[in-house]
Amino acid sequence: MAASDILVFFSNVMASLIILFYYLLFFAKGYTHPIRKLVSILFVFLVIHIFIAITNADHLVAITVLGILPVVDIFCCRSRIYNLLMIIPAFLFYALTAIFPMFIIPLITRNDFGELYGVSSLTLPGLIWDLGLTVLLTGTYVVSLRKKIELRLNFLEVAGFFAFFIFALFMLLSIGIYNDTLDFKMSVVFDVSATFFMLAIFLAYWSYLIIARDRANRKRDAAHAQNYLTMQLESLELEETNHQEIKLLKHDLRNHLQVIQELCNTKQYAQMESYISELSGQPMLAKNFCITGNQAADTVISIKKASADSVGIRLTCEGDFAWLGTLSPIDVCTVFSNLLDNALEGAKDSAEPYIAINGKDHEHFYTIAFSNSVCEPVKIRNNSVKTSKADKKHHGLGLSSVDAVIRKYNGSYTLQCKDMVFRVQAVFPKK
């Protein structure tokens, strides 16, 4: 195989990988990190490219590029319909960052546009450009993992890149027009300046996205920390109240025992049984806090159980929770407080209100599930539930906070509503 053919092969491979990076980093919603599936897809993808390189079937390159994204969408993402539509912006991103420079280079160097599809002078610059973009995208991915940054763009951010796409297209047309009216030196200066200007804007916006998300993460972490401290204060107040109730109960316990003894001596067994039953029903004796062994989880559960008891909701907790120690206390508090708040809201009007928490330690991952009874079926779309409250701006944020924590540990969660029971199950992979 000639050196030029090798350059074309690597350029085609990296061009396809760049589109895949754009898709996964910015557009794939609910990407579940199934590494084995993704590696298998990439392996088949590389095999196809090797076949293309051997047979010179260049027309298969487009088929490979177009086919790889739907395959990733089917096997590696949850929101498949949404992600299929996002293939279009992924290609626009590729056109913006890779194809445009390949048009600008012949404008500056006065080469023929036909060289874009050959193995002439554009092959090596194209390879270098694709390699640079691959390094940039890989670096972005590594930074996002280390800083726990969610890179998927929202609608306004995608619209911003579309606006830049139109701007870059206008600049490209301007370069083509001015090249015909200016002398060679001036046109080269203009072309290089315009290219540098477009590149600077793109990198500035790229950096802004990373910095803005990092700030949002810090703000969210501060809010979680504040919520954790609030829970700790509530726990201390609840503990103080419990101590006071125990003191009062201890003070009256001798009198209660004397009454029971007298009823026993006089053989008033029915009255004695009624008296003991009434005494056992006192809140302090009836309380049975769920103990997980994790201080943060126990703090939240004790507070939420007091709220559940006050409205007649039965709250139970069982399973293995030792693994919660692998999560930070603030994150544990965020998950438990938000999911229990949602469960309390959903169970309060049901026929037999209850909330159940279950934790398990599997071979390769941990799971925790929150189940609660509901009064009517909950509609779930794209693994999310729309808030039923009028103030949608400030409600329905609980699952978003939980989702941020779960993604922080490369986990995932699923929602299910079946037989009037709503269930949230979170999966945390073992390191």
Side-chain angles (χ1 to χ4, degrees):
M1 183 182 292
S4 58
D5 293 333
I6 295 175
L7 288 176
V8 171
F9 169 72
F10 279 108
S11 291
N12 289 333
V13 170
M14 282 191 293
S16 303
L17 288 177
I18 288 170
I19 297 177
L20 179 62
F21 258 114
Y22 279 136
Y23 182 70
L24 293 179
L25 286 179
F26 295 100
F27 302 112
K29 184 177 181 180
Y31 180 54
T32 55
H33 295 278
I35 302 300
R36 291 182 181 177
K37 292 180 181 178
L38 186 59
V39 170
S40 300
I41 291 169
L42 290 175
F43 175 75
V44 174
F45 163 76
L46 291 175
V47 169
I48 294 174
H49 268 289
I50 292 174
F51 173 78
I52 293 170
I54 295 174
T55 60
N56 292 321
D58 291 338
H59 61 281
L60 291 178
V61 173
I63 297 175
T64 304
V65 174
L66 289 170
I68 192 70
L69 297 185
V71 171
V72 172
D73 179 62
I74 291 171
F75 288 101
C76 301
C77 302
R78 292 194 298 268
S79 304
R80 296 186 177 91
I81 297 177
Y82 170 89
N83 291 326
L84 282 174
L85 294 176
M86 289 299 103
I87 291 175
I88 298 173
F91 273 97
L92 286 179
F93 269 60
Y94 175 71
L96 186 68
T97 57
I99 297 178
F100 273 4
M102 295 301 97
F103 276 92
I104 291 172
I105 290 174
L107 284 174
I108 296 175
T109 60
R110 299 299 192 274
N111 288 327
D112 186 79
F113 280 100
E115 294 177 348
L116 283 169
Y117 306 100
V119 289
S120 57
S121 59
L122 277 183
T123 303
L124 184 58
L127 178 65
I128 295 173
W129 187 267
D130 286 346
L131 181 61
L133 279 177
T134 303
V135 172
L136 176 64
L137 288 165
T138 305
T140 303
Y141 181 71
V142 172
V143 170
S144 68
L145 283 181
R146 295 188 63 179
K147 291 184 171 290
K148 311 299 181 184
I149 296 174
E150 172 62 48
L151 285 176
R152 187 167 55 85
L153 301 182
N154 59 40
F155 176 77
L156 290 178
E157 290 166 340
V158 173
F161 270 102
F162 271 101
F164 183 68
F165 180 84
I166 300 300
F167 167 74
L169 183 60
F170 172 77
M171 292 296 294
L172 184 64
L173 293 174
S174 299
I175 289 175
I177 294 172
Y178 280 105
N179 276 350
D180 294 333
T181 58
L182 299 175
D183 60 80
F184 179 75
K185 289 185 179 180
M186 288 299 296
S187 64
V188 169
V189 172
F190 175 79
D191 295 346
V192 172
S193 300
T195 304
F196 175 80
F197 186 57
M198 286 190 292
L199 184 61
I201 293 177
F202 176 79
L203 291 178
Y205 191 49
W206 190 287
S207 302
Y208 162 76
L209 291 177
I210 303 298
I211 295 172
R213 276 163 169 69
D214 190 38
R215 287 179 179 175
N217 281 356
R218 293 176 185 273
K219 185 177 180 180
R220 186 194 65 238
D221 291 343
H224 289 175
Q226 184 178 4
N227 181 54
Y228 177 68
L229 291 175
T230 301
M231 286 287 180
Q232 291 284 13
L233 289 174
E234 289 184 25
S235 177
L236 290 174
E237 292 175 359
L238 183 62
E239 187 176 351
E240 182 64 26
T241 301
N242 291 341
H243 285 173
Q244 186 65 25
E245 290 180 0
I246 290 173
K247 283 183 180 180
L248 293 174
L249 185 62
K250 183 179 179 181
H251 179 269
D252 295 337
L253 189 57
R254 181 173 297 178
N255 296 328
H256 292 311
L257 289 174
Q258 289 177 352
V259 172
I260 292 172
Q261 182 66 43
E262 181 63 24
L263 291 173
C264 182
N265 292 336
T266 57
K267 299 182 180 181
Q268 301 180 51
Y269 299 120
Q271 291 86 339
M272 181 180 69
E273 184 179 355
S274 176
Y275 188 87
I276 293 174
S277 177
E278 182 180 352
L279 182 63
S280 300
Q282 290 196 24
M284 197 58 240
L285 292 178
K287 285 182 180 178
N288 182 25
F289 294 113
C290 302
I291 302 299
T292 65
N294 183 276
Q295 183 180 2
D298 291 343
T299 297
V300 178
I301 291 174
S302 62
I303 294 172
K304 302 304 179 184
K305 190 177 192 306
S307 300
D309 291 341
S310 66
V311 294
I313 299 176
R314 178 170 52 91
L315 194 155
T316 60
C317 181
E318 61 181 11
D320 187 351
F321 296 93
W323 58 270
L324 287 175
T326 61
L327 279 61
S328 76
I330 293 177
D331 292 336
V332 171
C333 177
T334 298
V335 172
F336 274 76
S337 61
N338 282 288
L339 292 183
L340 283 176
D341 281 340
N342 291 345
L344 286 168
E345 184 73 20
K348 66 180 182 181
D349 295 325
S350 61
E352 297 181 1
Y354 79 92
I355 299 172
I357 309 172
N358 185 272
K360 290 185 180 180
D361 184 348
H362 304 270
E363 183 177 359
H364 300 293
F365 56 90
Y366 310 108
T367 60
I368 184 168
F370 291 75
S371 305
N372 64 272
S373 56
V374 292
C375 59
E376 59 183 17
V378 179
K379 294 181 179 179
I380 300 172
R381 293 189 63 184
N382 292 328
N383 205 44
S384 64
V385 177
K386 289 187 177 181
T387 178
S388 58
K389 297 183 178 181
D391 185 8
K392 298 184 185 297
K393 181 177 180 181
H394 297 99
H395 288 98
L397 301 177
L399 273 179
S400 298
S401 296
V402 172
D403 179 62
V405 171
I406 294 173
R407 284 181 176 273
K408 178 179 178 181
Y409 296 93
N410 295 324
S412 62
Y413 72 93
T414 55
L415 307 180
Q416 184 184 40
C417 186
K418 186 178 181 181
D419 299 330
M420 304 304 288
V421 175
F422 182 75
R423 176 184 173 89
V424 181
Q425 178 169 292
V427 178
F428 295 88
K430 293 184 178 179
K431 295 182 178 179

